[in-house]
């Protein structure tokens, strides 16, 4: 089998730059861009074309590229200004990293360091977040002033922070389960304690309505995959009990849920008087835009132009329908939506197998799918790159572990590699 790296030193540098991206992602947009560019430069000229081609010919690696190609072609029939078409295509660029990452970490043993780097970075973010909450005399207050909603958000926003923390939460739960099965009880308890700190931060500090939907689904899926149907059914009671305990003790969570209820109850079309009302108006108008061009959409970068045509106050200034499927369908129609769903399904199918990387991979894909119902998460910077980096690295790790191996263009199950003594 042809090696992706022409030289070992190039592979070593690319691996550690991938780790640097994972570390910077929860904190800084600028640093993440710099490390991604350096990572790509390191790879250019150091791979064999056949290795990359093999990944593009698979569903998990090829469908993201196909979606980008459709996005590039979509610029041809867009009625928006060229600057908006280019800006629309920019949102698709990150998808091209997926086959590169799969090819890289199919042959590298350092994928686990990417996961460790991301967890370590989020753990530092967790410590800073709790410090902002528990130490009100700190002169630096992060993204919010003392007394304002959002205290405890050092960088970015509560949606991004809670999504990052939810991925850490499920990764820690899976690793703790494996440690417990291996009779490493002290290590398992330590991992559970850290996971609970992440969960408490989501419920009491960085509460996001998206995360409140994502976490129960990920938890049920984790229990189902690791313990079976009976345990999954019983875990529903645990979720209800946790919700009952948290509700009276988390004012911010109550406020988020209550405000959503009020927004939906008082919703009036085109009023846009609340965040909940805005989303409903975005979705309602998006469906009208899609119906006007259902097959290939209005073209890449056309979202702003379509909302501008409504001529209705803040709605006319909207650039984001706050739903990933609608954001794709407005621009690329039914064809683009099918490619998006096929990409998610293909990557999810690859991860439905034993192994830590595969288990975390399921959480990454499911989190992206669920959060995409409420946000354009693949087009947003932090959540989009978290998905791309997570799927690319974890797909490569899953393939590298020996669970599956391409043979004559087909994927065939093979036995797990022998464990080292």
């Amino acid at each position: 089998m042809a090696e992706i790296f022409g030289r070992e030193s190039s592979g070593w540098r690319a691996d550690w730059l991938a780790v640097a991206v994972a570390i910077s992602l929860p904190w800084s947009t600028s640093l993440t861009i710099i490390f991604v560019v350096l990572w790509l430069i390191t790879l250019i000229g150091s791979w064999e074309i056949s290795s990359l081609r093999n990944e593009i010919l698979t569903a998990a690696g090829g469908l993201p590229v196909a979606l980008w190609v459709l996005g590039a072609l979509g610029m041809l029939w867009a009625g928006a200004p060229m600057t908006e078409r280019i800006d629309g295509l920019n949102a698709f660029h990150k998808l091209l990293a997926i086959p590169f990452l799969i090819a890289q970490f199919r042959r590298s043993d350092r994928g686990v360091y990417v996961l460790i780097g991301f967890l370590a970075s989020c753990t530092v973010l967790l410590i800073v977040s709790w410090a902002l909450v528990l130490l009100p005399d700190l002169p630096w207050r992060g993204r919010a002033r003392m007394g304002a909603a959002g205290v405890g958000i050092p960088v970015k926003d509560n949606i991004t922070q809670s999504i990052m923390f939810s991925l850490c939460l499920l990764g820690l739960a899976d690793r703790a389960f494996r440690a417990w099965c291996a009779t490493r009880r002290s290590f398992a308890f330590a991992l559970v304690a850290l996971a609970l700190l992440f969960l408490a931060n989501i419920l009491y500090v960085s509460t996001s309505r998206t995360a409140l939907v994502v976490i129960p689904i990920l938890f049920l899926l984790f229990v189902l995959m690791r313990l079976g149907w009976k345990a999954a059914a019983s875990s529903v009671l645990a979720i209800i009990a946790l919700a009952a305990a948290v509700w009276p003790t988390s004012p911010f969570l109550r406020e988020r849920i209550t405000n959503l209820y009020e927004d939906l109850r008082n919703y009036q079309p085109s009023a846009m008087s609340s965040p909940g009302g805005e989303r409903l108006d975005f979705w309602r108008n998006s469906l009208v835009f899609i119906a006007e061009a259902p097959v290939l959409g209005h073209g890449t970068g056309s979202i702003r132009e379509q909302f501008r045509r409504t001529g209705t106050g803040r709605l006319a200034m909207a650039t984001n329908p706050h739903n990933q499927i609608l954001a794709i369908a407005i621009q690329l129609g039914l064809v683009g939506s099918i490619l998006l769903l096929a990409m998610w399904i293909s990557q999810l199918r690859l991860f439905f197998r034993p192994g830590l990387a595969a288990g975390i991979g399921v959480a990454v894909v499911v989190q992206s799918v669920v959060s995409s119902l409420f946000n354009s998460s693949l087009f947003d910077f932090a959540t989009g790159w978290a998905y791309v980096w997570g799927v690319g690295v974890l797909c490569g790790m899953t393939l590298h572990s020996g669970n599956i191996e391409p043979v004559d263009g087909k994927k065939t199950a093979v036995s797990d590699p022998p464990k080292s003594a």
Side-chain angles (χ1 to χ4, degrees):
M1 181 182 296
E3 293 294 328
I4 188 170
F5 298 114
R7 296 174 298 178
E8 175 63 26
S9 59
S10 297
W12 184 88
R13 289 195 298 270
D15 288 349
W16 287 109
L17 283 169
V19 175
V21 171
I23 293 173
S24 65
L25 188 56
W27 291 91
S28 171
T29 297
S30 300
L31 273 179
T32 300
I33 293 174
I34 291 171
F35 286 132
V36 168
V37 171
L38 292 175
W39 166 79
L40 185 59
I41 292 174
T42 302
L43 287 182
I44 290 176
S46 67
W47 65 69
E48 292 189 8
I49 299 301
S50 59
S51 299
L52 183 61
R53 184 183 65 242
N54 290 339
E55 304 303 340
I56 294 176
L57 292 176
T58 66
L63 286 171
V65 177
L67 189 56
W68 179 88
V69 171
L70 183 60
L73 294 174
M75 296 176 66
L76 299 177
W77 62 81
M82 182 55 67
T83 54
E84 293 181 9
R85 301 186 203 186
I86 295 173
D87 186 57
L89 184 61
N90 288 340
F92 290 84
H93 287 336
K94 62 177 72 73
L95 297 175
L96 294 176
I98 292 177
F100 288 100
L101 288 164
I102 296 175
Q104 177 181 353
F105 287 98
R106 178 198 284 271
R107 292 161 178 81
S108 172
D109 294 319
R110 301 186 184 97
V112 66
Y113 295 117
V114 177
L115 305 184
I116 293 173
F118 180 75
L119 175 62
S121 183
C122 285
T123 301
V124 175
L125 183 63
L126 174 71
I127 294 171
V128 175
S129 176
W130 279 118
L132 291 173
V133 174
L134 301 177
L135 302 174
D137 293 331
L138 289 176
W140 179 69
R141 303 309 309 162
R143 299 286 292 180
R145 296 179 179 178
M146 193 61 186
V151 171
I153 312 296
V155 293
K156 300 187 184 295
D157 54 64
N158 65 314
I159 296 176
T160 301
Q161 181 168 309
S162 61
I163 290 299
M164 299 282 186
F165 285 3
S166 66
L167 292 176
C168 294
L169 174 64
L170 268 294
L172 287 166
D174 200 5
R175 188 66 186 90
F177 174 77
R178 295 172 183 279
W180 183 270
C181 293
T183 66
R184 300 176 63 188
R185 304 298 165 81
S186 298
F187 184 49
F189 279 124
L191 294 175
V192 169
L194 182 57
L196 291 176
L197 286 175
F198 277 113
L199 178 60
N201 190 277
I202 294 170
L203 295 177
Y204 289 92
V205 179
S206 60
T207 306
S208 151
R209 287 187 286 248
T210 301
L212 295 179
V213 177
V214 168
I215 290 176
I217 293 175
L218 291 180
F219 178 71
L220 288 173
L221 187 60
F222 165 76
V223 175
L224 177 62
M225 292 177 62
R226 296 294 178 248
L227 300 175
W229 287 99
K230 293 182 179 179
S234 301
S235 65
V236 173
L237 298 177
I239 293 174
I240 294 174
L242 177 63
V246 171
W247 180 262
T249 60
S250 176
F252 191 37
L253 184 144
R254 290 199 307 274
E255 179 184 355
R256 300 287 288 171
I257 300 299
T258 304
N259 287 349
L260 177 61
Y261 172 75
E262 295 293 333
D263 291 349
L264 297 179
R265 189 182 67 175
N266 300 326
Y267 169 68
Q268 295 179 359
S270 301
M272 299 187 69
S273 58
S274 62
E278 287 182 2
R279 271 181 166 76
L280 292 175
D281 243 11
F282 291 151
W283 296 345
R284 181 176 61 84
N285 282 274
S286 296
L287 294 176
V288 174
F289 304 152
I290 294 167
E292 295 171 351
V295 180
L296 289 175
H298 295 275
T300 303
S302 61
I303 294 177
R304 187 192 300 268
E305 178 66 22
Q306 294 306 306
F307 279 109
R308 189 185 296 132
R309 287 195 302 114
T310 64
T312 307
R314 293 174 62 191
L315 185 64
M317 297 185 290
T319 60
N320 182 357
H322 293 278
N323 180 292
Q324 186 63 58
I325 297 175
L326 294 179
I328 292 289
I330 291 173
Q331 301 177 89
L332 304 176
L334 182 62
V335 176
S337 299
I338 291 174
L339 277 178
L340 174 65
L341 294 174
M343 179 186 75
W344 279 330
I345 292 170
S346 66
Q347 292 163 353
L348 195 59
R349 286 186 60 195
L350 188 150
F351 288 131
F352 269 104
R353 63 190 70 250
L356 177 63
I360 300 175
V362 170
V364 171
V365 177
V366 171
Q367 173 271 320
S368 178
V369 173
V370 176
S371 63
S372 289
L373 299 176
F374 310 100
N375 304 283
S376 300
S377 59
L378 291 182
F379 287 169
D380 294 337
F381 183 87
T383 53
W385 276 109
Y387 174 81
V388 166
W389 225 250
V391 164
V393 172
L394 292 164
C395 278
M397 292 176 65
T398 301
L399 293 167
H400 177 75
S401 68
N403 288 324
I404 56 178
E405 189 73 18
V407 179
D408 297 329
K410 299 180 180 179
K411 292 183 179 180
T412 308
V414 297
S415 58
D416 290 332
K419 297 180 179 179
S420 58

